[in-house]
Amino acid sequence: MYEAVKVALDPTPCQSRRLESHAGAARFAYNVTLSHIKDSYMAGEKQGWSFYSLRNWWNSAKDALTLNEESGEVWWPENSKEAYNSGLESLANALKNFSKSRKGQRKGRRMGFPRFKSKDKAVPRFAYTTGSFGIIDHDPYALKLPKIGRVHCFENVAKRVGDAKIVRMTISQRAGRWHASICVEKPDAEPKSPLKGGTVGIDLGVKELATLSDGTVAHNPHALRRNLRKLRYEQRNLSRKTKGSNRRAKARLRVAKTYKRVSDLRSDSMHKLTTAIAKSWSDVCIEDLNVAGMLRNHHLAQAVADASFAEFRRQLTYKTARTGARLHVIDRWCPSSKTCSNCGTVKAKLSLSERVYHCDKCGLDMDRDLNAAINIQVAGSAPETLNARGGSGRRADASRRATRHPMKREPSGGESRVRLGAGLGNEAMQMTSL
């Protein structure tokens, strides 16, 4: 089992320059090798696209490519060889994805031919895969990086890694901060049993991030919307600066820090929610949402992207495997929102503005998202029931659920509803009643 441990680094000014030099070396190897591939293709020569072929060419040409004409010395030994190898590895993966996409062997969007990496736009990044890198003995708050030395960390990295074997370490810079992503190899651990057990259905939404079939509601942090005014201000300030100036570089850094805060807020709430769900129920049922199709709606694209539905499912996938819970993904064409959870009647039309589900047949009035979550739980937990074969699908406790968990009203209505607070712990789900 492979896991990633990400820690923030605290390098000195001299070490920061060395890290930037290593990232520039990886970018240089990427760009110069890509230029060679294009020239070989135009000349009709055959050049292998594998990582080993690219590395062999780089080793044979690096002295000529890095020769300083004034001093007559080559400068590539100033950086670790792993920095150049990481750039070549990135190019090999890009060429492989392009080749598979052209042949129709790759899932997802079509990948184009690799482009050159710009110094201003590319993320500074390089990796270590071999050599004497890792944690320093008797120094749990530091990492050993070849050609750079001991780099201090903001947290106890030795405690987080433990006895796991370090396979790879990727160093990257984001918003002016350097981070180390450590890939460790661990033995497959026995999954732990969930705390509660039982089955839960989850309906994802834009207004409320997740509505559970037991009436629990997880608030959507709206990380982008909350920081949109500041982001607009910083971007307008950036547009007024002269290109290439120091003030423009500082303005770009402020924009990057704002984006990073948005990402951190979203990631923090998402991890707390998915961890609590994976540890609380033994069976988790969700929908197979067409997120790419939702993003084509220009009225909802920003809100859908801010909610990160795909990231929610990705985290649930591996966290349920760790805790021993089972993840059930129902078909995306299942009419969970249009189906009555009490009698099974399916409505022909249900607009997004109708936030309360009203059944004309049995008279059930229930919050739209809660009704969908109950239907998702039924479809995911019991696919062999009469409901799956076209029966009524009536639940004996549907009316009782509608009474126990009243539909959501405006704040002036005085209705209460169980919610997931912002401070969810990692051990169990903390529920508070508003």
Side-chain angles (χ1 to χ4, degrees):
M1 180 175 60
Y2 293 95
E3 291 185 1
V5 177
K6 190 173 183 180
V7 295
L9 302 179
D10 184 23
T12 63
C14 180
Q15 290 176 342
S16 297
R17 291 191 294 269
R18 298 299 305 157
L19 292 173
E20 292 175 358
S21 177
H22 278 64
R27 185 181 64 254
F28 174 81
Y30 178 97
N31 289 336
V32 72
T33 309
L34 179 59
S35 177
H36 167 70
I37 290 177
K38 287 187 174 182
D39 295 341
S40 300
Y41 179 79
M42 297 299 295
E45 301 176 359
K46 185 177 181 181
Q47 170 63 41
W49 286 6
S50 66
F51 168 66
Y52 299 101
S53 299
L54 300 181
R55 190 174 63 177
N56 291 336
W57 175 85
W58 164 259
N59 289 333
S60 62
K62 61 184 178 181
D63 290 339
L65 295 173
T66 61
L67 178 63
N68 191 337
E69 297 180 357
E70 297 181 358
S71 62
E73 298 179 355
V74 294
W75 53 263
W76 68 263
E78 298 177 359
N79 304 304
S80 174
K81 66 175 184 178
E82 291 298 306
Y84 304 102
N85 289 339
S86 62
L88 300 176
E89 184 182 9
S90 299
L91 178 59
N93 292 334
L95 292 171
K96 182 178 179 181
N97 291 334
F98 165 72
S99 179
K100 285 187 175 182
S101 179
R102 185 178 59 178
K103 298 177 182 178
Q105 300 175 356
R106 184 181 183 275
K107 296 182 180 179
R109 64 184 181 91
R110 186 178 180 86
M111 302 297 294
F113 194 79
R115 301 180 180 180
F116 294 103
K117 290 187 177 182
S118 172
K119 182 179 179 181
D120 297 330
K121 297 181 180 180
V123 178
R125 181 187 291 112
F126 65 98
Y128 292 103
T129 55
T130 60
S132 57
F133 68 93
I135 303 174
I136 303 176
D137 295 337
H138 309 293
D139 194 357
Y141 285 86
L143 291 174
K144 180 182 179 182
L145 305 182
K147 293 287 186 177
I148 298 175
R150 176 195 178 277
V151 181
H152 183 71
C153 302
F154 282 103
E155 54 185 316
N156 192 333
V157 61
K159 182 179 179 181
R160 294 193 58 186
V161 173
D163 298 333
K165 178 184 176 182
I166 299 179
V167 179
R168 181 187 179 93
M169 183 184 301
T170 303
I171 312 297
S172 61
Q173 186 190 46
R174 185 182 180 190
R177 293 284 298 274
W178 288 96
H179 296 81
S181 180
I182 308 172
C183 179
V184 298
E185 182 180 2
K186 292 183 178 180
D188 294 339
E190 292 294 332
K192 300 178 181 179
S193 59
L195 299 180
K196 285 185 177 180
T199 307
V200 65
I202 304 175
D203 179 70
L204 300 179
V206 173
K207 187 176 182 181
E208 301 293 348
L209 180 59
T211 302
L212 278 59
S213 57
D214 64 346
T216 307
V217 177
H219 276 302
N220 189 350
H222 297 290
L224 179 61
R225 191 176 69 181
R226 288 164 53 187
N227 294 272
L228 197 57
R229 175 175 293 185
K230 182 179 180 181
L231 184 60
R232 290 171 178 170
Y233 172 80
E234 297 295 349
Q235 287 179 334
R236 285 198 300 267
N237 190 26
L238 174 63
S239 64
R240 300 188 183 101
K241 300 297 184 291
T242 304
K243 292 185 177 181
S245 63
N246 292 332
R247 289 189 175 183
R248 182 177 178 86
K250 294 179 181 179
R252 286 185 59 191
L253 181 59
R254 288 194 295 267
V255 173
K257 287 183 178 180
T258 306
Y259 272 115
K260 187 176 185 302
R261 174 168 176 79
V262 172
S263 177
D264 291 343
L265 289 173
R266 184 186 298 121
S267 178
D268 179 71
S269 61
M270 190 72 66
H271 275 291
K272 289 178 179 178
L273 175 60
T274 52
T275 300
I277 292 175
K279 288 185 176 182
S280 300
W281 284 277
S282 59
D283 291 272
V284 181
C285 308
I286 60 175
E287 286 183 293
D288 183 20
L289 297 176
N290 183 15
V291 181
M294 295 179 181
L295 294 177
R296 297 191 186 100
N297 187 342
H298 292 181
H299 298 284
L300 298 175
Q302 186 183 87
V304 171
D306 194 17
S308 299
F309 295 152
E311 178 66 13
F312 182 88
R313 176 177 171 179
R314 186 191 72 85
Q315 292 185 14
L316 267 186
T317 301
Y318 73 84
K319 289 183 180 181
T320 51
R322 287 179 181 177
T323 60
R326 293 175 294 273
L327 182 64
H328 306 271
V329 182
I330 68 172
D331 186 64
R332 65 178 56 177
W333 302 111
C334 177
S336 58
S337 298
K338 297 180 180 180
T339 305
C340 176
S341 59
N342 186 38
C343 64
T345 304
V346 181
K347 281 191 173 183
K349 293 183 179 180
L350 184 65
S351 62
L352 289 176
S353 60
E354 299 181 38
R355 305 314 304 170
V356 178
Y357 184 89
H358 175 74
C359 181
D360 298 332
K361 184 176 181 179
C362 65
L364 175 69
D365 288 327
M366 184 183 292
D367 179 68
R368 172 199 180 108
D369 298 334
L370 177 59
N371 177 74
I374 296 175
N375 291 327
I376 292 173
Q377 178 189 3
V378 174
S381 60
E384 71 281 359
T385 57
L386 291 177
N387 187 33
R389 297 194 296 267
S392 63
R394 176 184 175 87
R395 292 184 60 97
D397 60 342
S399 300
R400 193 164 61 251
R401 287 187 179 211
T403 305
R404 188 186 308 125
H405 305 291
M407 59 185 178
K408 184 177 179 182
R409 305 285 188 181
E410 296 296 330
S412 59
E415 294 289 343
S416 62
R417 195 171 181 187
V418 181
R419 296 181 180 273
L420 283 178
L424 279 172
N426 292 331
E427 298 299 331
M429 183 172 295
Q430 304 294 328
M431 300 183 185
T432 57
S433 178
L434 295 182

